[in-house]
């Protein structure tokens, strides 16, 4: 699985998804994606068959984004005050045992 980490998450967060054959890429690492509208990121994820990982609730707009076109979206809803290490621990714990079909064409909300 390829996970596309949105720029509203720290780059260290991607390590949660490394392993078990998973790959990660970062919006912030692509000049054609950095600071671009959600629609550009969504189209890139569709093209690359990536699962978007984000805190941006804009991706949950089903009138704007057709989930049948994308591998999936993981939406993180944690307080801003949570430390990065705690966020990584919690998400790692919550997705343990998930596989590709658990994300396919869904918005997975982790809070």
């Amino acid at each position: 699985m390829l996970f596309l980490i949105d720029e509203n998450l720290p780059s260290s967060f991607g390590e949660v998804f490394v392993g078990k054959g998973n790959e990660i890429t970062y919006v912030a690492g692509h000049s054609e994606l950095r600071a671009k509208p959600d629609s550009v990121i969504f189209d890139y994820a569709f093209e690359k068959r990536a699962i978007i990982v984000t805190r941006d609730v804009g991706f949950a707009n089903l009138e704007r984004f057709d989930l049948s076109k994308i591998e999936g979206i993981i939406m993180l809803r944690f307080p801003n005050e949570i430390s990065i290490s705690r966020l990584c621990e919690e998400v790692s714990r919550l997705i343990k045992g998930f596989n590709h079909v658990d994300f396919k064409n869904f918005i997975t909300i982790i809070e």
Side-chain angles (χ1 to χ4, degrees):
M1 287 185 282
L2 173 62
F3 292 91
L4 177 61
I5 310 301
D6 201 358
E7 61 191 334
N8 56 21
L9 292 166
S11 59
S12 60
F13 183 76
E15 296 305 312
V16 169
F17 299 97
V18 173
K20 296 185 183 180
N22 297 326
E23 297 177 41
I24 54 173
T25 191
Y26 300 94
V27 168
H30 292 276
S31 60
E32 72 272 15
L33 298 178
R34 194 173 36 245
K36 297 294 191 250
D38 292 348
S39 59
V40 173
I41 294 165
F42 186 89
D43 290 345
Y44 178 88
F46 169 71
E47 191 177 299
K48 300 294 183 182
R49 300 185 52 133
I51 296 168
I52 298 171
V53 182
T54 187
R55 295 181 86 161
D56 183 349
V57 296
F59 284 105
N61 183 341
L62 300 179
E63 291 179 3
R64 191 168 170 215
F65 299 110
D66 182 357
L67 287 180
S68 70
K69 293 183 173 183
I70 196 164
E71 295 302 302
I73 298 171
I74 298 174
M75 178 133 344
L76 303 176
R77 305 300 303 151
F78 285 89
N80 290 332
E81 298 79 26
I82 192 170
S83 71
I84 299 305
S85 61
R86 179 72 190 272
L87 176 65
C88 291
E89 288 171 14
E90 290 300 315
V91 172
S92 182
R93 181 180 65 80
L94 291 168
I95 66 166
K96 189 176 185 176
F98 277 32
N99 60 47
H100 185 260
V101 296
D102 295 319
F103 299 114
K104 183 73 175 165
N105 305 122
F106 285 106
I107 297 176
T108 304
I109 300 173
I110 300 177
E111 54 184 356

